[in-house]
């Protein structure tokens, strides 16, 4: 196949487009035309491609970028265009898993691929001693403003996305030249082993409920204290509060997220480790049942901050933390959950897959309808998919399980709005980056790119029912794939600069990440002056990390550690990107999803 290139001058940057104006000569044989669609908006273009019902509406000034430079694949059939730069997606996938290891905290010795600048940290963390909770070490640092704080719902989201990518794009792992499947399993197990520690029986509430109820740790670490320090995680000492709630108070969202993570991960281990599969599915079902009995969001419940001391091997008696302006150090303002029915839908769908029990599918229908019958669904118009809003990932999962028209139609509308920017929430930069005004991070675009690849896999060669066939053709499957690839190319530097740390042209080097910003020499103290505010690059490179990105500024990016969040990195930013890289690795090796 042939690659085509052009410059913005190839198409006029004016509104002087007329009906049936033909694209540059070298593309005429591709049957691509540009037309003014006066029925929709006389100031916008409708670009259509031969043999496809797809169209994309955009201001004329961006026509070239959309047709050639940015999201060309939305318009051009698969056989008409390939990308000039070839990436080793298997290598990039491997590096993404390396990044997760750079964010691990706990006892790291004995694990492969741990960065040389990382070591054991917070190895003696315990839940509230009065509850005989025991060990809660492990997990991942949240990063960004949260620093080394551990946030349970985001870890659960990351885990679900990683497991989904492995289950859907296994060949992308298996054919990468290294044992990435085993590495992926290790990443998952690190996460789920920690999540298991965040759950403990609540006997008092269980007695009232007559059903099993559970305490859940939703955060470890005090944000207010965290903001005052910038040092190596390995050198942090003192107290770390464990914030917890109980399912008896109504934690459908939190219980649902963790349940989904357990079920999805269980499927990865079902053949290789049946006992771990059994453990995860059992806890998933119990947690889900508790979450659906008393419905509500965990951020509205009463909070229980209890101090523990990570510097000692034995848990100390809890000491109440003085209240402060931020919910006693809990990050409930930042990680504020706004819905629960979508989380229960998500959890029930994954339990149906993991157990084969049709009762969970019935539940999934129930919660799905509850979501759309409530004010929760108002947030759907933001077209966001993340740890807080999982209705679209749940919709795609149910489309896969049931082949139901409603699920197909809703996920198609979501993807259609992203591909065509047909809603006020979605915009395109001049260089073709799709971003969401409600969450303009690069990660949000990768979350949608992951869903696009998953849906392309589902509908490839698929003849949809007539009610939803508008976007369910094999041609559309190709366009979803190439749109996702174009967004990944943007992130990897195929359009201008790279936003993927350690790879590509002009990749960020001033990363807002505590561990990697500290001096290489462990004998040199690390503090806010020599690690955060310094204009020098990070001494250590957290390769494989996706930065927050330009935000609402289109393509304009400031590679600066302080005064901006543009170089923030977090496991939650990488979660769906890892799945995208797995899908593209599979395409690269097999030319098919």
């Amino acid at each position: 196949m042939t690659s085509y290139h052009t410059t913005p001058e190839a198409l006029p940057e004016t509104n002087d487009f007329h009906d049936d104006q033909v694209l540059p000569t070298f593309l005429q044989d591709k049957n691509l035309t540009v037309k003014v669609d006066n029925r929709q908006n006389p100031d916008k273009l409708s670009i259509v491609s031969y043999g496809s019902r797809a169209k994309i509406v955009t201001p004329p000034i961006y026509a070239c970028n959309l047709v050639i430079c940015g999201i060309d694949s939305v318009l051009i059939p698969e056989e008409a265009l390939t990308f000039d730069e070839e990436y080793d997606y298997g290598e990039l996938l491997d590096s993404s898993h390396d990044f997760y290891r750079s964010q691990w905290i706990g006892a790291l010795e004995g694990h492969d691929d741990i960065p040389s600048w990382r070591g054991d940290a917070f190895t003696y963390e315990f839940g509230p001693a009065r509850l005989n909770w025991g060990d809660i070490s492990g997990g991942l640092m949240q990063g960004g403003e949260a620093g080394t704080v551990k946030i349970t719902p985001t870890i659960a989201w990351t885990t679900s996305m990683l497991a989904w990518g492995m289950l859907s794009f296994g060949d992308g792992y298996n054919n990468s030249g290294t044992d990435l499947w085993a590495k992926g399993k290790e990443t998952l197990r690190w996460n789920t082993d920690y999540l298991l520690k965040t759950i403990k029986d609540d006997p008092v509430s269980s007695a009232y409920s007559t059903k099993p109820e559970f305490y859940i740790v939703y955060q470890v670490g005090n944000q207010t204290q965290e903001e005052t320090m910038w040092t190596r995680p390995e050198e942090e000492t003192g107290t770390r509060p464990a914030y917890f709630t109980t399912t008896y108070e109504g934690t459908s969202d939190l219980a649902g997220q963790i349940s989904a993570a357990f079920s999805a991960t269980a499927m990865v281990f079902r053949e290789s480790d049946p006992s771990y599969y059994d453990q995860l599915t059992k806890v998933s079902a119990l947690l889900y049942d508790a979450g659906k009995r008393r419905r509500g969001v965990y951020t509205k419940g009463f909070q229980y901050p209890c101090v523990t001391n990570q510097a000692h091997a034995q848990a100390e008696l809890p000491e109440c933390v003085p209240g402060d302006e931020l919910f006693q150090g809990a990050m409930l303002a930042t990680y504020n959950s706004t819905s629960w029915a979508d989380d229960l839908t998500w959890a029930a769908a994954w339990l149906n897959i993991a157990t084969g029990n049709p009762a969970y599918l019935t539940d999934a229908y129930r919660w799905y309808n509850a979501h759309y019958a409530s004010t929760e669904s108002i947030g759907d118009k933001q077209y966001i998919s993340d740890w807080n809003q999982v209705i679209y990932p749940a919709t795609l999962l149910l489309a896969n399980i049931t082949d139901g028209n409603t699920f197909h139609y809703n996920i198609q509308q979501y993807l259609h709005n992203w591909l065509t920017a047909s809603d006020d929430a979605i915009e395109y930069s001049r260089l073709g980056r799709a971003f969401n005004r409600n969450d303009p991070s690069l990660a949000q675009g990768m979350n949608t790119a992951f869903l696009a690849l998953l849906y392309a896999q589902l509908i490839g060669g698929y003849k949809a029912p007539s009610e939803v066939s508008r976007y369910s053709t094999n041609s559309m499957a190709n366009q979803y794939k190439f749109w996702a690839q174009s967004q990944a190319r943007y992130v990897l530097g195929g359009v201008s600069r790279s936003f993927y740390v350690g790879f590509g042209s002009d990749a960020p080097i001033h990363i807002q990440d505590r561990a990697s910003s500290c001096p290489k020499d462990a004998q040199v103290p690390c503090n806010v002056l020599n690690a955060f505010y310094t204009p020098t690059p990070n001494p250590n490179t957290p390769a494989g990390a996706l930065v927050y990105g330009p935000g609402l500024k289109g393509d304009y990016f400031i590679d600066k550690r302080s005064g901006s969040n543009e170089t923030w990195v977090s496991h939650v930013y990488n979660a769906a990107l890892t799945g995208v890289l797995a899908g593209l690795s599979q395409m690269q090796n097999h030319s098919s999803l």
Side-chain angles (χ1 to χ4, degrees), residues 115 184 205 212-213 230 246 305 343 354 371 385 415 418 478 560:
S205 297
E213 302 288 349
W230 190 277
T246 173
D343 298 286
H371 170 82
S385 293
L415 293 174
W418 267 87
N478 289 336
K560 186 178 180 182

Side-chain angles (χ1 to χ4, degrees), residues 151-160 191-192 194-200 214-219 245 247 251-266 280-281 283-285 287-288 298 343-344 346-347 350-351 387:
I151 306 294
T152 298
T154 63
I155 293 176
W157 158 265
T158 292
T159 304
S160 300
N191 293 0
T192 48
Y194 171 71
L195 290 173
L196 286 168
K197 295 177 182 180
T198 66
I199 303 163
K200 181 176 175 56
F214 301 92
Y215 294 117
I216 305 175
V217 168
Y218 59 83
Q219 177 181 324
T245 185
T247 54
T251 60
S252 307
D253 49 351
L254 186 58
Q257 279 284 0
I258 301 172
S259 171
F262 286 157
S263 296
T265 301
L280 292 178
T281 51
V283 178
S284 176
L287 201 57
Y288 167 75
Y298 84 99
D343 298 286
L344 288 181
W346 180 235
W350 274 114
L351 270 167
W387 68 271

Side-chain angles (χ1 to χ4, degrees), residues 93-418:
L93 176 61
D94 191 2
S95 71
S96 183
H97 281 277
D98 286 340
F99 170 66
Y100 297 122
R101 282 151 179 75
S102 76
Q103 302 302 294
W104 285 0
I105 48 178
L108 305 185
E109 186 176 353
H111 292 278
D112 295 330
D113 300 315
I114 302 297
S116 60
W117 36 274
R118 283 302 321 282
D120 293 353
F122 303 104
T123 54
Y124 296 110
E125 290 198 302
F126 296 89
R130 66 182 176 84
L131 299 177
N132 297 313
W133 199 296
D135 178 36
I136 55 170
S137 64
L140 301 102
M141 299 179 282
Q142 180 63 24
E145 63 182 324
T148 61
V149 170
K150 298 185 290 190
I151 306 294
T152 298
T154 63
I155 293 176
W157 158 265
T158 292
T159 304
S160 300
M161 292 295 104
L162 290 175
W164 202 1
M166 292 184 69
L167 292 169
S168 301
F169 306 127
D171 285 348
Y173 279 84
N174 291 323
N175 298 316
S176 63
T178 60
D179 195 359
L180 265 183
W181 182 260
K183 190 170 185 175
K185 287 171 60 179
E186 185 185 32
T187 305
L188 283 178
R189 187 153 193 162
W190 179 271
N191 293 0
T192 48
D193 281 352
Y194 171 71
L195 290 173
L196 286 168
K197 295 177 182 180
T198 66
I199 303 163
K200 181 176 175 56
D201 293 336
D202 179 358
V204 175
S205 297
S206 296
Y208 285 111
S209 176
T210 70
K211 300 284 187 179
E213 302 288 349
F214 301 92
Y215 294 117
I216 305 175
V217 168
Y218 59 83
Q219 177 181 324
V220 178
N222 184 307
Q223 185 199 23
T224 306
Q225 296 174 359
E226 187 70 28
E227 288 178 335
T228 66
M229 63 182 73
W230 190 277
T231 187
R232 298 179 180 90
E234 294 79 4
E235 296 174 354
E236 287 196 37
T237 58
T239 56
R240 291 261 288 187
Y243 299 83
F244 68 98
T245 185
T246 173
T247 54
Y248 194 69
E249 298 285 349
T251 60
S252 307
D253 49 351
L254 186 58
Q257 279 284 0
I258 301 172
S259 171
F262 286 157
S263 296
T265 301
M267 291 299 294
V268 175
F269 285 89
R270 183 170 63 172
E271 300 297 329
S272 61
D273 194 340
S275 63
Y276 198 54
Y277 163 84
D278 290 340
Q279 179 187 11
L280 292 178
T281 51
K282 178 181 178 180
V283 178
S284 176
L286 288 170
L287 201 57
Y288 167 75
D289 287 342
K292 76 174 185 177
R293 275 194 300 275
R294 296 182 180 275
R295 296 183 285 278
V297 295
Y298 84 99
T299 50
K300 288 185 178 178
F302 182 77
Q303 314 305 323
Y304 304 84
C306 289
V307 167
T308 64
N309 193 326
Q310 64 88 19
H312 301 289
Q314 298 298 322
E316 298 183 349
L317 291 176
E319 173 185 346
C320 291
V321 196
D324 58 39
E325 72 280 4
L326 196 60
F327 301 96
Q328 296 181 318
M331 299 191 68
L332 301 181
T334 303
Y335 297 98
N336 178 36
S337 181
T338 58
S339 58
W340 57 264
D342 57 336
D343 298 286
L344 288 181
T345 305
W346 180 235
W350 274 114
L351 270 167
N352 173 258
I353 292 173
T355 67
N357 186 340
Y360 291 121
L361 186 56
T362 300
D363 276 2
Y365 283 123
R366 176 187 177 188
W367 307 129
Y368 196 80
N369 290 332
H371 170 82
Y372 280 101
S374 73
T375 56
E376 277 190 20
S377 60
I378 295 174
D380 298 353
K381 287 298 183 181
Q382 293 181 330
Y383 299 107
I384 284 177
S385 293
D386 60 10
W387 68 271
N388 180 42
Q389 295 175 279
V390 295
I391 194 61
Y392 290 115
T395 298
L396 199 158
L397 200 60
L398 287 170
N400 200 335
I401 296 170
T402 70
D403 202 27
N405 288 356
T406 297
F407 306 123
H408 276 292
Y409 182 81
N410 286 345
I411 193 61
Q412 290 162 10
Q413 288 299 111
Y414 170 78
L415 293 174
H416 180 69
N417 281 321
W418 267 87

Side-chain angles (χ1 to χ4, degrees), residues 28-45:
Q28 288 182 14
D29 61 340
K30 302 305 174 186
N31 295 303
L32 301 176
T33 61
V34 176
K35 298 181 180 180
V36 173
D37 188 351
N38 290 313
R39 294 170 302 172
Q40 197 164 49
N41 189 326
D43 297 323
K44 293 186 176 181
L45 286 181

Side-chain angles (χ1 to χ4, degrees), residues 27-94:
L27 284 180
Q28 288 182 14
D29 61 340
K30 302 305 174 186
N31 295 303
L32 301 176
T33 61
V34 176
K35 298 181 180 180
V36 173
D37 188 351
N38 290 313
R39 294 170 302 172
Q40 197 164 49
N41 189 326
D43 297 323
K44 293 186 176 181
L45 286 181
S46 173
I47 304 174
V48 298
S49 63
Y50 176 79
S52 170
R53 301 181 187 180
K55 67 179 181 179
I56 190 162
V57 177
T58 182
I61 192 171
Y62 300 139
C64 171
N65 295 319
L66 290 172
V67 176
I68 306 299
C69 310
I71 50 172
D72 35 30
S73 57
V74 176
L75 310 172
I76 302 176
E78 182 174 11
E79 65 275 8
L81 183 77
T82 58
F83 296 118
D84 183 43
E85 294 190 45
E86 194 71 21
Y87 295 100
D88 185 340
Y89 291 112
E91 177 187 356
L92 296 168
L93 176 61
D94 191 2

